[in-house]
Amino acid sequence: MSDRDVVGVLKKYEHFLSPNDGGVTFSGGEPLLQPTFVKSVFEKAKDMGLTTCLDTSGHGNPRIWSKVLPQTDYVMLCIKGMDLKLASFISGVSEENNKRARELAKYIRDNYKNIKLSLRWVLMKDTTDTDKELKALASFAKELSPVFTHVELLPYHVLGKEKYEMMNLEYPLEGMEPYDYQDAVEVKEKLESMGVQAILADH
């Protein structure tokens, strides 16, 4: 699908999207693997008066980011963990790649103060919900003023496990139970007590 194809779809729904502050979100996979394509669609969407949102894990570098961010209104940045070893274990990629996500957040803060930045945080029992991790997350979020808006809490689930089984791959988080909703509510309240706005994704 080309950028023109995507814009063609957007035009079909423009009459509905425009009055409701609607727009287009690029998600993953990882949209920053195709920065030129994302940039082109975002530019055309902005010309139509639509909003643009980037849902990313922070791939790339300033050269890549500077292609896309000037046309971006919202960024949803997935942070796997504040401890880099933990983040690497959860994501299955290097500590350096996980560090890059934080670099992107600071790059947005320093260069694109018009962007609204939220942090997405997967809740995993006794892993990403520890006091140490949550305090570090809250501290990092506060560093991102004025672009930071909130943390979106995503209770862990096992919906992706079947994909691994279909491909005969070992599921890296075998034994991790789905996150309890009431525990997620308590994490939300804990972050808010630290002065960080948090929302809880639908379960």
Side-chain angles (χ1 to χ4, degrees):
M1 179 175 275
S2 69
D3 55 346
R4 291 182 179 180
D5 293 331
V6 175
V7 172
V9 173
L10 288 175
K11 286 183 177 179
K12 290 182 180 179
Y13 298 97
E14 183 179 4
H15 66 285
F16 171 76
L17 293 171
S18 294
N20 296 287
D21 199 28
V24 58
T25 297
F26 269 99
S27 186
E30 175 50 68
L32 288 175
L33 287 171
Q34 303 181 75
T36 302
F37 176 72
V38 175
K39 173 187 177 182
S40 179
V41 174
F42 274 10
E43 286 177 338
K44 293 175 173 62
K46 296 290 280 184
D47 288 343
M48 295 166 61
L50 301 178
T51 59
T52 56
C53 178
L54 185 68
D55 181 357
T56 177
S57 60
H59 171 80
N61 53 51
R63 179 181 59 81
I64 289 174
W65 301 336
S66 63
K67 284 186 177 183
V68 177
L69 293 177
Q71 296 82 35
T72 303
D73 295 309
Y74 302 92
V75 172
M76 299 187 295
L77 179 61
C78 188
I79 303 289
K80 305 300 185 183
M82 295 309 299
D83 179 90
L84 288 175
K85 289 184 179 179
L86 174 63
S88 182
F89 166 73
I90 292 171
S91 63
V93 299
S94 69
E95 293 181 23
E96 186 62 31
N97 281 349
N98 282 284
K99 185 179 178 181
R100 200 168 294 135
R102 301 176 207 185
E103 293 172 351
L104 171 57
K106 293 177 181 178
Y107 184 81
I108 293 170
R109 176 199 64 191
D110 296 340
N111 297 280
Y112 297 95
K113 291 181 170 54
N114 59 307
I115 289 178
K116 294 179 174 62
L117 171 67
S118 60
L119 302 179
R120 309 189 83 198
W121 186 262
V122 177
L123 286 171
M124 304 169 70
K125 192 65 175 175
D126 300 325
T127 306
T128 60
D129 63 351
T130 63
D131 286 344
K132 180 181 179 181
E133 279 292 296
L134 294 177
K135 287 178 181 177
L137 173 62
S139 177
F140 179 64
K142 291 176 182 178
E143 292 178 15
L144 300 176
S145 178
V147 296
F148 170 76
T149 58
H150 64 275
V151 172
E152 182 182 7
L153 298 170
L154 307 164
Y156 172 77
H157 57 71
V158 293
L159 297 179
K161 186 176 180 181
E162 291 184 359
K163 295 180 181 179
Y164 283 82
E165 293 173 348
M166 290 174 60
M167 295 185 289
N168 294 316
L169 296 175
E170 181 181 353
Y171 188 63
L173 297 173
E174 187 66 47
M176 180 69 67
E177 295 293 328
Y179 203 83
D180 181 76
Y181 181 76
Q182 188 54 47
D183 288 345
V185 172
E186 292 177 7
V187 171
K188 176 180 181 295
E189 293 172 349
K190 188 175 292 187
L191 284 172
E192 290 174 340
S193 73
M194 298 179 197
V196 172
Q197 184 176 349
I199 63 172
L200 186 54
D202 292 338
H203 69 296

